[in-house]
Amino acid sequence: MNVQVDIQALWDQALERMRGQVDAESLQAWLMPARAHAFAESTLTLTVPSRFYVNWLSSNYRDVITRTVGELVDSPIHLAFRVQEIDGEMEPLPPAEPPRSHSGNGQETTTLISRNLNPRYTFDRFVIGESNRFAHAAAVQVADPASRAYNPLFIYGGVGLGKTHLMQAIGHQMLAADGGTRVLYVTSEQFMNAFIDAISTGKQLEFRALYRNVDLLLIDDIQFFTGKERTQTEFFHTFNALYDAGKKIVVSSDRPPKEIKTLEERLRSRFEWGLIVDIQQPDLETRVAILRRKGESEGMDLPSEVTLFIAEHIRSNIRELEGSLLRVKAFAMMANREIDLSLAREVLGSLMVSEAASQRVTVDRIQEVVCEYFNVTDAELIGESRIKKYAFPRHVAQYLCRTLTELSFPEIGQRFGGRDHTSVMHAVRKVEKALAVDSHVKNIVSYLVRRVKEG
């Protein structure tokens, strides 16, 4: 049998095994394009389409590839790459050293890169769902060193939904592509405090040298700049310096630029130069996937009914979701008990009651907010007319009822003129599809969610 065929068969078998460890979209985008080239002296060489694939696979999938292939051949292996376009051998990239910069006094100082980027916040650890797919795709594009698209990238969404994760994943990926890339991640509060310190110590020049000489600037929670006029002015000039130099800027907020009160108009307009994307609360399937991924990383044997139970009842954000899982794990270890549904109910019962009580979302409240926003009456909202003026608000209201309350499809149908549950399911799916492709619909739904929760 041809040796090359055996090598490719080994790789195909590895790909099949990795289906249970890597999400389908990532597998299709990054691993499937690779082809087995050679396997000699415990080193598997893969042929990939470009150097960007080398950097991406080395940074995000090296461990899962070497572990999976090593299990198949029952021996530890190494990984090398061959770029198809160049047709030359390329060894795996060594771990990138943090770039160094020089201060004004000539002393060498390490930048904030290694200290400010969380090593867990990489693209391969980010669970993709309908609620974040567009934001993830934009972040991946920005992370490509050859791309100049979406500058600046503005990511907004609620607390604990993955904004910081995506931002830092961009930084990690750019560092993986080029270890000399100057990446700086700070929160808006850190930026402001550093600026105040610079003013008080007379080191504005050093401050500007740091923030205006990076290849990628990541600013988290930009909404806290509101009311800070001098900080906004300084950031405005920092933004201009980086943008004019062709450097990349990514910022995050809990709301879109137009809703950030007292934000200077010139800053707001700068944010709108690029791409504005949002991250919403994850749907049930994404919450289940997040719990499974977290369980695997924690070495937990997690029954499917426990995963589903937590996902169905903890809806607020990813942080709460993962925290609930860790709470179950800790209780099981202390009590020396197996993790099962009864234990999960026992541990999380009070937490779920607290979350449900804190939301206090009712169908009446949802219908009231939707009617006010779309300027329709209650009768028109729950009526039979299929005219878009009434049908779209009705679909949105049913979607909000499904995502913000505990009501089942049949129960929601009863509150909308006694509709059949299949009609409600159709409405919810229609809105979900629109959210995946239409930023205008996303903005409307995000605004309505906030209004409903304001009470």
Side-chain angles (χ1 to χ4, degrees):
M1 183 179 291
N2 188 294
V3 176
Q4 183 68 31
V5 173
D6 287 342
I7 296 171
Q8 186 58 43
L10 172 65
W11 177 238
D12 289 341
Q13 192 175 356
L15 288 172
E16 191 61 32
R17 282 202 179 191
M18 285 187 284
R19 288 185 186 278
Q21 306 173 61
V22 179
D23 67 87
E25 185 173 343
S26 297
L27 189 79
Q28 184 70 31
W30 301 109
L31 296 173
M32 296 295 285
R35 293 289 178 265
H37 175 70
F39 187 57
E41 298 180 350
S42 299
T43 298
L44 173 65
T45 303
L46 298 176
T47 299
V48 293
S50 68
R51 288 182 179 271
F52 185 63
Y53 272 78
V54 176
N55 298 325
W56 188 273
L57 293 175
S58 293
S59 173
N60 296 291
Y61 299 104
R62 177 188 296 276
D63 289 344
V64 69
I65 292 173
T66 54
R67 182 176 65 251
T68 303
V69 176
E71 290 172 354
L72 289 172
V73 300
D74 197 26
S75 176
I77 71 141
H78 301 287
L79 193 61
F81 296 96
R82 174 178 179 272
V83 178
Q84 185 175 355
E85 300 165 343
I86 302 174
D87 199 33
E89 296 289 332
M90 297 186 67
E91 292 299 319
L93 300 179
E97 291 294 328
R100 293 184 176 274
S101 61
H102 293 276
S103 61
N105 58 14
Q107 294 179 336
E108 196 176 57
T109 60
T110 303
T111 67
L112 300 179
I113 293 170
S114 60
R115 183 172 56 167
N116 280 16
L117 291 183
N118 189 322
R120 296 185 297 108
Y121 287 168
T122 57
F123 281 121
D124 68 309
R125 289 175 176 262
F126 189 85
V127 178
I128 305 168
E130 293 304 320
S131 59
N132 58 31
R133 190 178 303 279
F134 185 46
H136 173 267
V140 169
Q141 184 69 30
V142 171
D144 184 347
S147 173
R148 289 294 175 263
Y150 312 144
N151 195 30
L153 177 63
F154 191 103
I155 306 173
Y156 74 92
V159 175
L161 296 182
K163 301 187 300 296
T164 301
H165 190 147
L166 269 187
M167 292 179 71
Q168 295 201 18
I170 296 172
H172 280 300
Q173 187 52 41
M174 289 189 65
L175 283 170
D178 181 356
T181 303
R182 294 163 297 179
V183 177
L184 182 58
Y185 166 85
V186 292
T187 65
S188 60
E189 183 180 12
Q190 289 171 329
F191 181 94
M192 181 182 67
N193 289 338
F195 177 55
I196 293 172
D197 288 343
I199 293 174
S200 62
T201 58
K203 294 184 177 180
Q204 293 98 318
L205 291 178
E206 287 86 344
F207 173 88
R208 289 164 185 161
L210 171 63
Y211 282 90
R212 301 184 188 183
N213 288 283
V214 297
D215 300 303
L216 171 65
L217 178 61
L218 308 163
I219 301 281
D220 215 347
D221 292 326
I222 203 81
Q223 73 272 8
F224 292 118
F225 278 172
T226 57
K228 316 295 192 305
E229 294 181 4
R230 290 194 65 181
T231 300
Q232 288 190 43
T233 299
E234 183 64 29
F235 180 71
F236 173 78
H237 293 301
T238 298
F239 181 103
N240 287 342
L242 292 173
Y243 188 89
D244 292 343
K247 307 305 181 182
K248 297 185 178 183
I249 306 160
V250 181
V251 296
S252 81
S253 172
D254 65 351
R255 70 204 77 166
K258 289 183 178 179
E259 294 184 19
I260 303 178
K261 297 179 180 179
T262 71
L263 183 68
E264 290 185 8
E265 182 58 37
R266 58 180 181 174
L267 263 183
R268 185 179 290 109
S269 67
R270 293 299 189 278
F271 295 150
E272 293 173 351
W273 281 357
L275 180 67
I276 300 173
V277 297
D278 74 323
I279 300 179
Q280 298 181 2
Q281 289 183 336
D283 55 26
L284 177 62
E285 291 80 6
T286 305
R287 295 197 298 274
V288 169
I290 290 169
L291 288 170
R292 286 177 178 170
R293 178 74 64 85
K294 185 65 175 178
E296 290 172 2
S297 68
E298 294 291 327
M300 299 172 65
D301 184 13
L302 200 60
S304 58
E305 62 268 21
V306 173
T307 306
L308 186 60
F309 173 78
I310 298 175
E312 284 181 331
H313 291 87
I314 306 298
R315 301 181 177 185
S316 52
N317 58 58
I318 297 170
R319 200 172 297 161
E320 291 287 341
L321 196 65
E322 293 183 340
S324 298
L325 183 62
L326 294 178
R327 186 174 178 180
V328 170
K329 177 186 178 183
F331 187 89
M333 292 178 63
M334 289 187 294
N336 195 25
R337 290 171 55 182
E338 292 290 328
I339 295 177
D340 55 22
L341 187 56
S342 63
L343 183 139
R345 289 182 184 276
E346 180 181 344
V347 175
L348 301 179
S350 60
L351 183 64
M352 291 184 298
V353 170
S354 174
E355 178 173 294
S358 67
Q359 291 183 357
R360 291 192 176 90
V361 174
T362 65
V363 175
D364 290 337
R365 173 60 181 166
I366 291 172
Q367 292 177 338
E368 175 189 353
V369 169
V370 171
C371 285
E372 179 184 351
Y373 181 84
F374 289 103
N375 193 26
V376 297
T377 66
D378 290 340
E380 291 167 340
L381 185 69
I382 67 174
E384 297 295 330
S385 176
R386 296 187 179 182
I387 298 175
K388 186 176 181 179
K389 177 183 178 181
Y390 308 126
F392 180 64
R394 186 183 305 130
H395 292 166
V396 170
Q398 292 172 348
Y399 170 82
L400 293 176
C401 288
R402 181 59 180 170
T403 55
L404 300 180
T405 75
E406 299 289 336
L407 296 179
S408 64
F409 287 119
E411 290 171 330
I412 295 171
Q414 287 300 313
R415 299 298 300 273
F416 283 82
R419 279 176 166 77
D420 184 80
H421 73 281
T422 57
S423 174
V424 180
M425 291 174 65
H426 171 74
V428 171
R429 290 190 184 118
K430 195 167 184 178
V431 174
E432 288 175 342
K433 288 180 180 178
L435 288 171
V437 297
D438 192 329
S439 59
H440 179 61
V441 174
K442 286 183 179 181
N443 290 338
I444 290 174
V445 172
S446 296
Y447 172 78
L448 291 174
V449 168
R450 286 194 296 274
R451 284 293 315 281
V452 167
K453 289 187 175 181
E454 285 171 0

